[in-house]
Amino acid sequence: MKIVFFGTPQFAVPTLEKLLNHSEFEVLAVVTQPDKRRERGNKLTPTPVKAIATAHNLPVWQPERVKKDTETLTRLKELDADVFVVVAYGQILSAKILNMPKLACINVHGSILPKYRGAAPIQWCLYNGESETGITTMLMDVGMDTGAMLQIATTPIGLLDNAQDLAERLATIGGDLLVETLLKLERQEIQPIPQDNLAATYAPLIQKPDYGLDWSKSAMQLHNQIRGFYPNCTATFRNNLLKITASAPLGSIGERNLPPELQELLHKLPDLSNASNKPGVVVSIIKGIGAIVQTGEGLLLLREVQLVGKRPQSGWDFVNGTRLTVGEVFGTGS
């Protein structure tokens, strides 16, 4: 089966590697986003997908706008591929491109469709506190993740999973599921299933205001925001911006799902549930662990934070380094 692969970030790499290492598939070329300049040194950095493709001596095309790039469109047509595979490419494909391959244009999407169509399905499913997610392979059409579904693979979401953890797991699942999908599609063993548009939800690009932490929210809501939009959620501390990169909700319905070491910690804590503290106030400091902050409902343990210009550090190192005391207040982020 002759394949053209469209993809850009690390999430797409395991799928490309699966195709490259499978005897039934031949990857003819790779289409990825243009290289970007990174802050340090301002050097052009290849996309993760380009790095893999280059290592395998594959042709790599990086049009600014693929559906408007005449040269790329001509090349794609000339390849006469059986399938186009799309994994987090980052550009919308035109009907002209979608109709080029002989068999199909197939997308590997990071949610259980029709929920979380759009650019950030992994982040928003965590933000909304889902207990399960997965990968859907689907036939592409001109809509935003609206094509008929081919196969679905699911995975549970742990209470402390963040967007990076979940993306890594889903990327591996996606590679395996795509291989299975392509083989079954070639043997005509799959019947595409139309999506229920009435059950669809949307996962838009994350904007800067989404990162700000509001301590009047519940501990569970804040925790889901922190892990969903990892590693960028912010609060203010002593008039400076502070990233909170890992947390754990205490005194909430999620508490029973904490790992054993944190469960043990809870049994040793004094009863803080009836304290009349305002949201954002540090109500306790646990030696070796970190600070516990009052929220609008329940308490939040700060497991990892990052000061401006510094590397991430454990909650306990943060307490020691800043000499944090009970009664100090964290402000709303921005």
Side-chain angles (χ1 to χ4, degrees):
M1 186 181 290
K2 297 182 183 300
I3 296 169
V4 176
F5 187 87
F6 294 71
T8 298
Q10 182 61 37
F11 181 79
V13 167
T15 302
L16 176 57
E17 290 179 328
K18 286 282 183 180
L19 295 175
L20 290 169
N21 293 323
H22 200 290
S23 61
E24 295 292 320
F25 308 126
E26 180 186 358
V27 180
L28 303 175
V30 166
V31 185
T32 188
Q33 293 275 54
D35 296 347
K36 289 187 176 180
R37 294 192 182 277
R38 302 300 176 187
E39 292 180 8
R40 293 186 178 180
N42 200 33
K43 292 183 179 179
L44 280 174
T45 303
T47 71
V49 162
K50 180 182 179 179
I52 297 298
T54 302
H56 285 80
N57 298 313
L58 291 172
V60 178
W61 306 328
Q62 297 178 274
E64 289 285 349
R65 297 186 67 192
V66 65
K67 59 185 180 181
K68 298 279 189 180
D69 192 294
T70 304
E71 184 179 352
T72 301
L73 292 175
T74 300
R75 288 174 173 175
L76 287 172
K77 186 68 175 176
E78 290 174 346
L79 285 177
D80 198 28
D82 297 305
V83 174
F84 288 175
V85 169
V86 181
V87 188
Y89 171 48
Q91 294 189 40
I92 295 174
L93 304 188
S94 64
K96 183 176 182 178
I97 296 173
L98 296 176
N99 291 326
M100 284 182 184
K102 296 175 184 176
L103 286 177
C105 195
I106 297 176
N107 180 236
V108 178
H109 185 73
S111 78
I112 303 171
L113 290 170
K115 295 185 74 173
Y116 301 107
R117 295 173 177 174
I122 296 170
Q123 292 87 340
W124 287 106
C125 87
L126 285 167
Y127 178 85
N128 289 326
E130 302 283 1
S131 60
E132 181 183 65
T133 188
I135 291 287
T136 304
T137 52
M138 67 172 184
L139 298 176
M140 294 182 68
D141 59 21
V142 293
M144 176 66 77
D145 302 322
T146 55
M149 300 178 293
L150 297 171
Q151 289 192 285
I152 293 174
T154 63
T155 185
I157 300 175
L159 181 64
L160 300 185
D161 283 341
N162 64 30
Q164 180 175 298
D165 301 327
L166 195 52
E168 289 175 358
R169 191 157 78 244
L170 287 173
T172 300
I173 293 171
D176 292 333
L177 188 65
L178 176 74
V179 168
E180 182 182 331
T181 298
L182 290 175
L183 294 175
K184 287 186 174 182
L185 191 69
E186 188 177 37
R187 296 192 295 259
Q188 298 183 331
E189 295 175 357
I190 293 181
Q191 182 64 44
I193 301 171
Q195 293 187 43
D196 179 0
N197 291 326
L198 295 178
T201 61
Y202 184 55
L205 283 171
I206 300 161
Q207 306 294 330
K208 187 176 179 180
D210 295 321
Y211 297 133
L213 297 173
D214 179 354
W215 297 99
S216 66
K217 293 181 179 180
S218 72
M220 182 58 76
Q221 287 175 313
L222 289 165
H223 173 66
N224 287 338
Q225 182 180 359
I226 290 164
R227 68 195 185 123
F229 300 155
Y230 173 87
N232 295 310
C233 285
T234 58
T236 52
F237 173 69
R238 298 177 184 170
N239 296 319
N240 291 310
L241 208 60
L242 174 74
K243 284 186 178 181
I244 298 178
T245 51
S247 59
L250 311 180
S252 67
I253 57 172
E255 193 174 287
R256 71 177 77 96
N257 296 316
L258 290 171
E261 62 271 19
L262 291 179
Q263 289 275 10
E264 185 178 345
L265 164 68
L266 293 180
H267 293 308
K268 298 177 181 178
L269 280 177
D271 184 10
L272 303 169
S273 59
N274 295 320
S276 57
N277 291 293
K278 293 181 179 180
V281 173
V282 177
V283 298
S284 184
I285 292 174
I286 309 303
K287 187 175 181 180
I289 303 290
I292 295 177
V293 182
Q294 180 70 54
T295 72
E297 180 185 342
L299 305 170
L300 192 69
L301 171 64
L302 306 188
R303 297 171 50 232
E304 184 183 84
V305 303
Q306 184 176 3
L307 292 159
V308 175
K310 304 291 185 180
R311 293 184 177 182
Q313 58 183 169
S314 71
W316 180 239
D317 286 343
F318 170 69
V319 168
N320 281 333
T322 61
R323 299 186 182 277
L324 184 71
T325 59
V326 170
E328 287 202 68
V329 180
F330 289 94
T332 300
S334 59

